[in-house]
Amino acid sequence: MLVARQVFVACALATLLLVPASADSPLAPRTTRFSVITDAAQWPADLDQPDSKTRWFLEHVPSARILTLLVQPRAEAVEVTRRLRLGEQESVETRRFFDPNGGDAALSWWLPDRIGQLRRPGERTLLRLIEERDGRRDELRIEIEGVALGWAHLPIGPREVVVERATVLRRRGGSAGFEAEAQITRFIGGREGLLAEIVAPYDETPASASVVDELIDGAADLKIYVDDVQPFSIEDASCITPTGAVGFPCQLNYGFDRGEGTTISQITPDGFSTVGQLINKEPANWDFSVNVEANSVAEQTSTTFTLSAENTCNFGLCGYVNPATRVLSRQDKDFYDASTTDEIINTVFEREDRGAPDNDVVQWIRAGAQKEGDDRGFGNGESSFCYDPTFDAEPRSPVAQWVFSHQDADGFFFQAGDSWETSFDCEQNIYNRTCGERKNFLEPPDLWSKPCDCPGTGCHEGKQSGQVVRGGVVTLPSGHTVNTLVVRIVADFCVYSCAECDDTPIFGCRQDEVRKVVYLWVAPGFNTVARIQSDKLVANIDTWGDATEPLEETDFKFGLYPPLTIESTATTDDSVSLTWDPGQDTRRIDDFVVYWDADSGAVSDYALNSVTHAADVTFDGTSATIANLAAGTEYFFTVTSRSTHVDMKTGVPTQHESLLYPSQVFGDPDHVYPIEILATTSGQGCAPSTEVTGLVLSKQSSGGIELCWQPVDDPCLSGYDIVASDDASSAAGWTTIGGTGLETCWTGDPAETFFLVIARGAGGQGPWNHFGR
């Protein structure tokens, strides 16, 4: 934009109206306490260059300075109170922020997790705010870029975070231009908001860092959506990855079974003795990574197949029908002891989208079998169940695995506090058969379930129920950390061998009683990542798990997962080097695949990978160098793991690939895992593509001039050049007379008559549209 010396325009801040960001905002206040560190020598090392990593260890921070941050959304603004305490001294400051255009910019800065505005790597946002404090009103311009996504290990436990880099420009009340005030790197949790930040005066060494040590209130609940746990058959074409392997959403999971007799105290380092103590622990973080492999008796592999005779010998029997709408999830248990018979367990699932009056989505359990194909007698061989109300004339009540009773813009979901149940009133839904055939003439082949009273063990309600107990973070044997909801499944009934369900003493047909409890840790995108279950009959749903009532089985998943971390270690003009940590258990990992593109995988599919472009990648164990890249260009990278699994039933090998970006984890379809890493090749960088506008010249009372202009929103911007000439008729004869960083005012006393301000980047100047340049 051209301006002449002879033109004088007063540069005044326009009148700004206070416009409500939202009417009667329902968002609750949030209070968070931070430890503030002002000595960089005491900072956790991972606060240095955090954008080159995907996992940050920030647990150990000094706590001499304590900052309590209270963020209160109001109808027209966001009010922020900062209470800083050092020893006995305390200072309190309150500021108000609002969007001058009536939008949600204040919420996007202070509570981005609440309104779904977390930035993906490479995503840029410009926020304009008004800040009021002590009777002063300043205008803020905050340029934000998402730079990383991963896990931060904090004093409050591991949390999944996005990392944002923000440049804050301030125009003080009465000032003509913006000053570059600070650069802030923020770690934002998907449900807790701001968890850590590094603050530096612009272009200076960071002055302070803050790490959360207590989330006092205001965290959001995790949501699990239908597609997070919807089972897909591995034969589904949508599951084929760019390398030809089977991948998300057709998951292959490997897990460890600690075996019968295991106690709660043996599965975590916390020392709890009962399941109730384990589930209700504070904080809600569960570590299942300790000594799992060494103390396991079997490895369990979970996959999902088309419902067919090839995949189950019960095909065509009760519940094992309607393959067009049902899938077969199967778990193969391979015992380390060769003398123990391996086991096949399966479950048939069917999804139903129910309209009015239910208005929900249900994943039904239609049938299932334990130890399929094992012809040993009752309690040792195959047993099965059927909850299919449409199979034959027998009245059977349907049983839900999940009920998604809530809906928002992203779809149907469940969350902590939800529950569902099914009651059985003398229903024939249990079988003591092998692949549908009667085992012998001594044992009843068909069984019924209903409520009953049992002396010594109490009342059995005749129900199967599910309850979403709470949310929290799980650490798996591989070292991976995942957000989960804990779901408790309870089967509580008596079993009968006759259709009358007769409880008459001596002549009755009661066969058994059941009170079995299963706890599932369910993660978005991964489905169930941990499972513990009681024996067939426990006295109470919360007190089992000690030596008197130990666990019957566990399933702690250790794969197939992408690497724990990815880091960029070196760049050249045409290459980027990466290294990654595959996790603590790599027994089932065959190899790795590197994906890359100039666009984020959350925006579009990766264009390149190390299988289709093998000549561009050199592997060295868990490191790789990607070559033939363009100079001065930002690239996005991710890494997956591959494993070949041989089906226990058919002997057919299938290559599987771990989660490929973008599949979700936050419980929010806009967020993804595995995490990406951004890296920029060296060499000439990019030039801005945006022209400077709003240029105003003001004469100074002391002599000279001041030039002010509107900030440019351009990812290549590093500063501004001021050029001058006495002839505005052509592009020739212009001379650079000064420059700024991101500040939008320049003061000088040049001799020339005409002036231009041009955006500047590492790759050169931006356009001079006045002259067609």
Side-chain angles (χ1 to χ4, degrees), residues 60-77:
H60 306 296
V61 295
S63 56
R65 296 173 183 264
I66 300 297
L67 171 66
T68 302
L69 193 67
L70 171 61
V71 180
Q72 301 183 85
R74 306 295 191 188
E76 76 287 353

PDB file of all heavy atoms in Angstrom, residues 60-77:
ATOM      1  N   HIS A  60       8.245 -33.149  37.153  1.00  0.00           N
ATOM      2  CA  HIS A  60       9.045 -32.658  38.278  1.00  0.00           C
ATOM      3  C   HIS A  60       9.378 -31.176  38.082  1.00  0.00           C
ATOM      4  O   HIS A  60      10.275 -30.818  37.319  1.00  0.00           O
ATOM      5  CB  HIS A  60      10.317 -33.491  38.416  1.00  0.00           C
ATOM      6  CG  HIS A  60      10.051 -34.953  38.530  1.00  0.00           C
ATOM      7  ND1 HIS A  60       9.355 -35.501  39.595  1.00  0.00           N
ATOM      8  CD2 HIS A  60      10.347 -35.992  37.703  1.00  0.00           C
ATOM      9  CE1 HIS A  60       9.257 -36.806  39.427  1.00  0.00           C
ATOM     10  NE2 HIS A  60       9.846 -37.124  38.289  1.00  0.00           N
ATOM     11  N   VAL A  61       8.632 -30.323  38.762  1.00  0.00           N
ATOM     12  CA  VAL A  61       8.855 -28.887  38.668  1.00  0.00           C
ATOM     13  C   VAL A  61       8.881 -28.304  40.077  1.00  0.00           C
ATOM     14  O   VAL A  61       8.130 -28.728  40.957  1.00  0.00           O
ATOM     15  CB  VAL A  61       7.754 -28.193  37.831  1.00  0.00           C
ATOM     16  CG1 VAL A  61       7.811 -28.648  36.398  1.00  0.00           C
ATOM     17  CG2 VAL A  61       6.372 -28.467  38.410  1.00  0.00           C
ATOM     18  N   PRO A  62       9.739 -27.311  40.324  1.00  0.00           N
ATOM     19  CA  PRO A  62       9.718 -26.641  41.629  1.00  0.00           C
ATOM     20  C   PRO A  62       8.435 -25.839  41.781  1.00  0.00           C
ATOM     21  O   PRO A  62       7.810 -25.439  40.801  1.00  0.00           O
ATOM     22  CB  PRO A  62      10.946 -25.724  41.570  1.00  0.00           C
ATOM     23  CG  PRO A  62      11.192 -25.514  40.111  1.00  0.00           C
ATOM     24  CD  PRO A  62      10.769 -26.768  39.423  1.00  0.00           C
ATOM     25  N   SER A  63       8.021 -25.606  43.011  1.00  0.00           N
ATOM     26  CA  SER A  63       6.707 -24.975  43.232  1.00  0.00           C
ATOM     27  C   SER A  63       6.779 -23.798  44.197  1.00  0.00           C
ATOM     28  O   SER A  63       5.901 -23.610  45.028  1.00  0.00           O
ATOM     29  CB  SER A  63       5.717 -26.015  43.748  1.00  0.00           C
ATOM     30  OG  SER A  63       6.215 -26.632  44.931  1.00  0.00           O
ATOM     31  N   ALA A  64       7.859 -22.987  44.126  1.00  0.00           N
ATOM     32  CA  ALA A  64       7.959 -21.831  45.017  1.00  0.00           C
ATOM     33  C   ALA A  64       6.893 -20.793  44.694  1.00  0.00           C
ATOM     34  O   ALA A  64       6.290 -20.199  45.587  1.00  0.00           O
ATOM     35  CB  ALA A  64       9.351 -21.218  44.917  1.00  0.00           C
ATOM     36  N   ARG A  65       6.646 -20.585  43.409  1.00  0.00           N
ATOM     37  CA  ARG A  65       5.610 -19.640  42.977  1.00  0.00           C
ATOM     38  C   ARG A  65       4.377 -20.434  42.538  1.00  0.00           C
ATOM     39  O   ARG A  65       4.480 -21.339  41.707  1.00  0.00           O
ATOM     40  CB  ARG A  65       6.097 -18.774  41.819  1.00  0.00           C
ATOM     41  CG  ARG A  65       7.268 -17.864  42.165  1.00  0.00           C
ATOM     42  CD  ARG A  65       7.790 -17.184  40.905  1.00  0.00           C
ATOM     43  NE  ARG A  65       8.949 -16.361  41.190  1.00  0.00           N
ATOM     44  CZ  ARG A  65       8.893 -15.046  41.408  1.00  0.00           C
ATOM     45  NH1 ARG A  65       7.733 -14.420  41.355  1.00  0.00           N
ATOM     46  NH2 ARG A  65       9.987 -14.371  41.657  1.00  0.00           N
ATOM     47  N   ILE A  66       3.241 -20.083  43.076  1.00  0.00           N
ATOM     48  CA  ILE A  66       1.992 -20.768  42.755  1.00  0.00           C
ATOM     49  C   ILE A  66       1.032 -19.770  42.112  1.00  0.00           C
ATOM     50  O   ILE A  66       0.737 -18.711  42.672  1.00  0.00           O
ATOM     51  CB  ILE A  66       1.331 -21.373  44.015  1.00  0.00           C
ATOM     52  CG1 ILE A  66       2.271 -22.388  44.658  1.00  0.00           C
ATOM     53  CG2 ILE A  66      -0.012 -22.022  43.652  1.00  0.00           C
ATOM     54  CD1 ILE A  66       2.580 -23.584  43.788  1.00  0.00           C
ATOM     55  N   LEU A  67       0.574 -20.120  40.908  1.00  0.00           N
ATOM     56  CA  LEU A  67      -0.399 -19.297  40.195  1.00  0.00           C
ATOM     57  C   LEU A  67      -1.727 -20.029  40.156  1.00  0.00           C
ATOM     58  O   LEU A  67      -1.793 -21.166  39.664  1.00  0.00           O
ATOM     59  CB  LEU A  67       0.082 -19.010  38.772  1.00  0.00           C
ATOM     60  CG  LEU A  67      -0.936 -18.345  37.843  1.00  0.00           C
ATOM     61  CD1 LEU A  67      -1.273 -16.933  38.321  1.00  0.00           C
ATOM     62  CD2 LEU A  67      -0.423 -18.317  36.402  1.00  0.00           C
ATOM     63  N   THR A  68      -2.771 -19.405  40.673  1.00  0.00           N
ATOM     64  CA  THR A  68      -4.124 -19.948  40.560  1.00  0.00           C
ATOM     65  C   THR A  68      -4.873 -19.118  39.540  1.00  0.00           C
ATOM     66  O   THR A  68      -4.980 -17.894  39.679  1.00  0.00           O
ATOM     67  CB  THR A  68      -4.848 -19.920  41.912  1.00  0.00           C
ATOM     68  OG1 THR A  68      -4.097 -20.661  42.869  1.00  0.00           O
ATOM     69  CG2 THR A  68      -6.234 -20.544  41.783  1.00  0.00           C
ATOM     70  N   LEU A  69      -5.374 -19.791  38.507  1.00  0.00           N
ATOM     71  CA  LEU A  69      -6.035 -19.106  37.394  1.00  0.00           C
ATOM     72  C   LEU A  69      -7.517 -19.465  37.406  1.00  0.00           C
ATOM     73  O   LEU A  69      -7.886 -20.628  37.283  1.00  0.00           O
ATOM     74  CB  LEU A  69      -5.395 -19.542  36.076  1.00  0.00           C
ATOM     75  CG  LEU A  69      -5.711 -18.728  34.829  1.00  0.00           C
ATOM     76  CD1 LEU A  69      -5.103 -17.334  34.946  1.00  0.00           C
ATOM     77  CD2 LEU A  69      -5.170 -19.438  33.596  1.00  0.00           C
ATOM     78  N   LEU A  70      -8.357 -18.452  37.582  1.00  0.00           N
ATOM     79  CA  LEU A  70      -9.812 -18.628  37.549  1.00  0.00           C
ATOM     80  C   LEU A  70     -10.335 -17.993  36.272  1.00  0.00           C
ATOM     81  O   LEU A  70     -10.209 -16.777  36.078  1.00  0.00           O
ATOM     82  CB  LEU A  70     -10.462 -17.979  38.769  1.00  0.00           C
ATOM     83  CG  LEU A  70     -12.000 -17.896  38.760  1.00  0.00           C
ATOM     84  CD1 LEU A  70     -12.630 -19.280  38.685  1.00  0.00           C
ATOM     85  CD2 LEU A  70     -12.504 -17.136  39.981  1.00  0.00           C
ATOM     86  N   VAL A  71     -10.910 -18.822  35.392  1.00  0.00           N
ATOM     87  CA  VAL A  71     -11.472 -18.347  34.129  1.00  0.00           C
ATOM     88  C   VAL A  71     -12.987 -18.469  34.216  1.00  0.00           C
ATOM     89  O   VAL A  71     -13.515 -19.568  34.393  1.00  0.00           O
ATOM     90  CB  VAL A  71     -10.934 -19.161  32.935  1.00  0.00           C
ATOM     91  CG1 VAL A  71     -11.531 -18.656  31.636  1.00  0.00           C
ATOM     92  CG2 VAL A  71      -9.413 -19.089  32.889  1.00  0.00           C
ATOM     93  N   GLN A  72     -13.670 -17.324  34.112  1.00  0.00           N
ATOM     94  CA  GLN A  72     -15.125 -17.294  34.266  1.00  0.00           C
ATOM     95  C   GLN A  72     -15.778 -16.746  33.004  1.00  0.00           C
ATOM     96  O   GLN A  72     -15.697 -15.546  32.736  1.00  0.00           O
ATOM     97  CB  GLN A  72     -15.525 -16.421  35.453  1.00  0.00           C
ATOM     98  CG  GLN A  72     -14.944 -16.891  36.778  1.00  0.00           C
ATOM     99  CD  GLN A  72     -15.424 -16.035  37.927  1.00  0.00           C
ATOM    100  OE1 GLN A  72     -16.500 -16.256  38.488  1.00  0.00           O
ATOM    101  NE2 GLN A  72     -14.634 -15.024  38.285  1.00  0.00           N
ATOM    102  N   PRO A  73     -16.409 -17.596  32.203  1.00  0.00           N
ATOM    103  CA  PRO A  73     -17.145 -17.100  31.046  1.00  0.00           C
ATOM    104  C   PRO A  73     -18.367 -16.295  31.499  1.00  0.00           C
ATOM    105  O   PRO A  73     -19.123 -16.734  32.373  1.00  0.00           O
ATOM    106  CB  PRO A  73     -17.566 -18.367  30.310  1.00  0.00           C
ATOM    107  CG  PRO A  73     -16.733 -19.452  30.891  1.00  0.00           C
ATOM    108  CD  PRO A  73     -16.453 -19.054  32.302  1.00  0.00           C
ATOM    109  N   ARG A  74     -18.524 -15.118  30.947  1.00  0.00           N
ATOM    110  CA  ARG A  74     -19.695 -14.285  31.206  1.00  0.00           C
ATOM    111  C   ARG A  74     -20.514 -14.184  29.925  1.00  0.00           C
ATOM    112  O   ARG A  74     -20.099 -14.638  28.867  1.00  0.00           O
ATOM    113  CB  ARG A  74     -19.274 -12.893  31.676  1.00  0.00           C
ATOM    114  CG  ARG A  74     -18.335 -12.879  32.875  1.00  0.00           C
ATOM    115  CD  ARG A  74     -18.993 -13.434  34.116  1.00  0.00           C
ATOM    116  NE  ARG A  74     -18.186 -13.184  35.305  1.00  0.00           N
ATOM    117  CZ  ARG A  74     -18.448 -13.689  36.496  1.00  0.00           C
ATOM    118  NH1 ARG A  74     -19.501 -14.505  36.650  1.00  0.00           N
ATOM    119  NH2 ARG A  74     -17.675 -13.419  37.532  1.00  0.00           N
ATOM    120  N   ALA A  75     -21.693 -13.579  30.044  1.00  0.00           N
ATOM    121  CA  ALA A  75     -22.559 -13.439  28.868  1.00  0.00           C
ATOM    122  C   ALA A  75     -21.887 -12.596  27.795  1.00  0.00           C
ATOM    123  O   ALA A  75     -22.066 -12.833  26.606  1.00  0.00           O
ATOM    124  CB  ALA A  75     -23.894 -12.819  29.269  1.00  0.00           C
ATOM    125  N   GLU A  76     -21.081 -11.601  28.207  1.00  0.00           N
ATOM    126  CA  GLU A  76     -20.514 -10.681  27.234  1.00  0.00           C
ATOM    127  C   GLU A  76     -19.001 -10.738  27.151  1.00  0.00           C
ATOM    128  O   GLU A  76     -18.390 -10.070  26.322  1.00  0.00           O
ATOM    129  CB  GLU A  76     -20.932  -9.233  27.573  1.00  0.00           C
ATOM    130  CG  GLU A  76     -20.186  -8.595  28.754  1.00  0.00           C
ATOM    131  CD  GLU A  76     -20.597  -9.132  30.119  1.00  0.00           C
ATOM    132  OE1 GLU A  76     -21.579  -9.921  30.158  1.00  0.00           O
ATOM    133  OE2 GLU A  76     -19.961  -8.779  31.131  1.00  0.00           O
ATOM    134  N   ALA A  77     -18.347 -11.511  28.009  1.00  0.00           N
ATOM    135  CA  ALA A  77     -16.892 -11.502  28.043  1.00  0.00           C
ATOM    136  C   ALA A  77     -16.390 -12.721  28.811  1.00  0.00           C
ATOM    137  O   ALA A  77     -17.177 -13.516  29.326  1.00  0.00           O
ATOM    138  CB  ALA A  77     -16.385 -10.215  28.699  1.00  0.00           C
TER     139      ALA A  77
END
